[in-house]
Structure formats: C-alpha cells, structure tokens
Amino acid sequence: MPPSSKYNQNQIVSKQLVGILGVGAIGSVIAKELSFNKNIELFFFHRSEKKEIQVQFEDKKYKLPATNSFGNLQGNQLDWLIICLKEYHFEGAKIWFEKLIFPKTKITVIRNGMELKKPLLPYAKEDRILECMIDCPVQKNSNGSYLQMKDVQLASVSGDLANDFKSLFFNKKLILQQFEYFKTVTWKKLIESASLGAITCLTGETCWIFEKKEIKNWYQKILEESILVARADGAIIPIDFALQLLKKVKTYPKEKGSSMLTDRLMGRPIELGAKNGVISKLGEKYKIPTPLNDWVCLMLKFTNRKS
Ligand SMILES: NC(=O)c1ccc[n+]([C@@H]2O[C@H](COP(=O)([O-])OP(=O)(O)OC[C@H]3O[C@@H](n4cnc5c(N)ncnc54)[C@H](OP(=O)(O)O)[C@@H]3O)[C@@H](O)[C@H]2O)c1
C-alpha cells in the first residue's frame, strides 16, 4: 500500500472510494475486478491480517496490495461498501458497519441466502442496499491465493443502484443480470442449493446418490416443503418446479458436489443460516411446518463450528 502521506485530500476525494469488507474468496475476486477501474480507490477491511490479494484466473495471476484500510480513509466517507462475508460472519462484523456506513454510502451485499439487507437496516436506508447473488466458483489454494474458475456472474434486482454498481466494473465479461422480481430468482436458487446441499452433505456423497430412488424421494419431499415456504414469502414458483429440479439433477455429473458438502468434508463451518436455516426460519414466520429443513439443521448443527 502506498503510505498515506503520498495522498493529499483532493486526490482521494476525486476518486470513488470503494471498500471491501470480507476479503476472502469472493472479496478477492471482486477486488481484482475493481482494480481494473483506475477511477476507484480501493480499501480493505479485514479480520485476519492480509498484505496481498492473489487471484489466479485462466492463465493469469493477479496480485494487489490489500493493506489500504480504515486509517487511510483519513476521515473520508466511502462511496461504496461491498460486503462479501458469509452469513455467520455478519454478527461479528457489526462494528465495521458502524464505522463505514454513512448516508452517502451505497452498499452491495454479495452472499448466498435470503434477507441480505436485514442485518444492515439499522445502519443504512433500504434503498441504498443492493442484494447480489454470485455465480463464480472460487477455491482457496494452500498458499492463501485464490483460484477463480469462471467469469463473474452477478444477479440483482433491476434499477439505478444496480446500474451504478455495474458501472464500477470495466471487464466486459463480468455480467450483472438484473431482474424485476429478484426474490423469485433467489428463492429458486435457495430451494435447489439447500435441498441438494442437505442430501449431499448428510450422505457425504456427490450427485451420483440421486440415482437411488429412496434418496430421490427424500429430495422431492424437501424440495416441496421448501417451495411452500417460498410461495408464502411471495416468490413465484412454477407448479412443476420440483419436477424440473428432479429432471435437472439427473443431468449433473455424478461427481458434482455442493458447497455444503465441500465445507463439511474440509471441516469448515457450513453456511446453514443461509440455506436450510433460513427456510426453517421463514417457515416459522409464515406458519408453514418445515420438519425436513428443521431436521437437516439439527443434524448439521453439531458438526458446525462457526469461524
Ligand atoms: N467461494 C465461492 O466459490 C462462492 C461462490 C458463490 C457464492 N459464494 C458466497 O459468497 C459469500 C462469501 O463467501 P466466500 O467464499 O468469499 O467466504 P470466505 O472465503 O470465507 O470469505 C469471507 C471473508 O470474510 C472475512 N471476515 C469474517 N468476519 C469478518 C469481520 N468481522 N471483519 C472483517 N472480515 C471478516 C473472513 O476473514 P478470515 O480470513 O479471518 O476468515 C474471510 O476472509 C458466501 O455467502 C458464499 O456462500 C461463495
């Protein structure tokens, strides 16, 4: 990081000040993408010390300094705060929300699950917060660098905030798909990922397991339970959605896993609150019984350490 003395106040304020909170797999890839825009000054807010971000994508290695942090803001306010935390990190990150969010700050939350705005509502107006889903598998290498496996695909609700956020990125291959009714999109993803994740994670097996009729039956049951909650929450889910997913799972490679299975096999905490946990919670809110999702949460709770 260049020492703060190199900056004068005018230089800093002439650029858009963009902070990334949660500089792990997704935060590092987003930082790499934003680094192509020289009209941005990037700031990083860490939990563990990190001097450099390294991302490998296709045949290129990208390195950027990651030490430009709170002190270097010199009292200036962020234009954007991009939050790339896991669901279970939010509680511990509240102190950052207090420090980093001002009325002018626009916020993007990139994570799995539902209700992404909720933890931020005490700090920001709802219309300043953009919820984003990301499709971009990223793995951590043993040396701390990240391997990005495909181009970044984001999805959000459509509108000015989404357009402003997209304008920060210069890479034409980065896609931000905008949807009028984003809730349906997030629910469709959640129904599949929580149901498939639960079965792969609990059996410890990849998608070959869906060849077993009795497993497919349980998959169908958990899909149907989750669909009822999605509809109660206002998502528009087609009548044959469970059947569509049952057909889809047959097309998956036998060795395809899920993020829940990977987390369990690697001894990492599972993002239960962003998967089956939120389905159970919303089921309770709408008085829809969710015995299967509750059971999945109970079974995985005791293997799950939060970090
Ligand atoms: N990785 C993927 O391939 C992928 C793909 C699609 C969606 N997603 C979703 O994207 C979201 C982010 O996932 P991720 O894979 O990027 O997670 P991650 O690699 O675990 O990154 C999260 C980062 O947040 C940091 N953090 C935690 N608490 C903090 C705090 N209080 N203050 C500052 N930093 C804090 C962690 O720091 P430490 O270094 O101290 O742990 C870690 O670096 C999740 O919802 C995930 O499901 C991920």
Side-chain angles (χ1 to χ4, degrees), residues 23-45:
V23 194
I26 297 300
S28 297
V29 167
I30 293 294
K32 182 261 285 177
E33 293 294 339
L34 289 168
S35 71
F36 303 139
N37 179 347
K38 299 300 172 208
N39 298 320
I40 281 177
E41 182 78 29
L42 271 177
F43 294 83
F44 303 98
F45 309 105

Side-chain angles (χ1 to χ4, degrees), residues 100-257:
L100 299 175
I101 299 172
F102 289 86
K104 72 176 263 192
T105 310
K106 293 180 253 185
I107 301 160
T108 300
V109 186
I110 305 178
R111 76 159 172 86
N112 287 335
M114 303 292 299
E115 302 187 308
L116 309 197
K117 289 183 180 183
K118 206 170 172 186
L120 295 155
L121 292 176
Y123 310 92
K125 285 195 172 161
E126 192 175 352
D127 62 4
R128 309 288 288 175
I129 310 169
L130 184 70
E131 299 178 321
C132 250
M133 235 164 60
I134 185 161
D135 179 8
C136 179
V138 183
Q139 272 177 15
K140 192 173 188 176
N141 296 322
S142 52
N143 64 359
S145 68
Y146 290 98
L147 178 64
Q148 177 186 348
M149 278 167 296
K150 62 182 203 185
D151 283 306
V152 177
Q153 284 188 40
L154 297 161
S156 75
V157 72
S158 50
D160 291 344
L161 195 59
N163 291 333
D164 284 358
F165 181 58
K166 176 68 175 66
S167 72
L168 298 175
F169 297 95
F170 283 7
N171 178 0
K172 294 221 162 32
K173 287 187 176 168
L174 181 146
I175 293 168
L176 172 61
Q177 262 189 299
Q178 297 185 33
F179 296 89
E180 278 305 315
Y181 204 54
F182 185 56
K183 183 179 259 192
T184 294
V185 181
T186 51
W187 260 112
K188 282 182 166 175
K189 183 175 177 193
L190 176 63
I191 291 164
E192 181 181 18
S193 70
S195 306
L196 189 142
I199 286 183
T200 50
C201 189
L202 283 169
T203 58
E205 298 293 340
T206 56
C207 280
W208 76 267
I209 198 75
F210 293 97
E211 289 169 8
K212 302 278 169 206
K213 193 162 177 272
E214 58 274 43
I215 294 286
K216 229 167 73 179
N217 289 344
W218 281 108
Y219 182 49
Q220 181 165 3
K221 284 182 186 152
I222 194 164
L223 287 172
E224 285 168 352
E225 178 181 294
S226 306
I227 288 169
L228 291 181
V229 182
R231 292 206 180 108
D233 193 42
I236 301 161
I237 307 294
I239 194 111
D240 64 344
F241 190 57
L243 290 177
Q244 286 179 27
L245 293 182
L246 284 163
K247 278 189 193 160
K248 192 175 174 191
V249 81
K250 283 191 197 162
T251 68
Y252 286 149
K254 286 183 201 295
E255 64 282 6
K256 176 183 156 54

